[in-house]
Amino acid sequence: MKLLHWLNAIVRANIRTLEMVGVVMRIFSFSLVSWLGPHSPFLFVWAFNTTDAILLSWCALLKRDPAYTVLNVFWIGVGVVGMIRAAGGFSTP
């Protein structure tokens, strides 16, 4: 529990910077897909996108911002499904 309090204190102290890092990560991952299209490294893109969603969710939770918490937790779920699909888990017919 002390570790979580310590990590939360670090995030709170740097929250604006961490939010900007998360936003830039998201822009980068979607730009990569836009530029490379079907040749995109989708597993990397989804892992990167999920990482930024975790970071942005954490910031939103600490700020007690329900709208951005829901939005970014949703993106975590989308990212997990995307990683499974990119790794060949959920095959489409």
Side-chain angles (χ1 to χ4, degrees):
M1 197 58 131
K2 287 183 181 184
L3 175 63
L4 184 59
H5 289 297
W6 180 73
L7 290 172
N8 283 342
I10 291 171
V11 172
R12 277 193 179 100
N14 299 289
I15 200 158
R16 290 181 59 119
T17 301
L18 292 171
E19 285 177 316
M20 184 59 71
V21 167
V23 168
V24 170
M25 288 172 69
R26 180 140 328 149
I27 290 168
F28 172 77
S29 65
F30 283 107
S31 296
L32 191 62
V33 171
S34 295
W35 292 328
L36 299 178
H39 302 293
S40 298
F42 286 106
L43 184 56
F44 169 78
V45 169
W46 284 118
F48 202 70
N49 190 57
T50 303
T51 302
D52 78 56
I54 291 167
L55 178 61
L56 291 171
S57 295
W58 194 345
C59 292
L61 282 165
L62 291 177
K63 290 171 75 174
R64 300 182 192 277
D65 187 331
Y68 281 108
T69 300
V70 169
L71 177 66
N72 287 299
V73 169
F74 166 78
W75 276 111
I76 293 170
V78 169
V80 169
V81 171
M83 285 187 287
I84 292 169
R85 291 196 65 205
F90 294 143
S91 307
T92 55

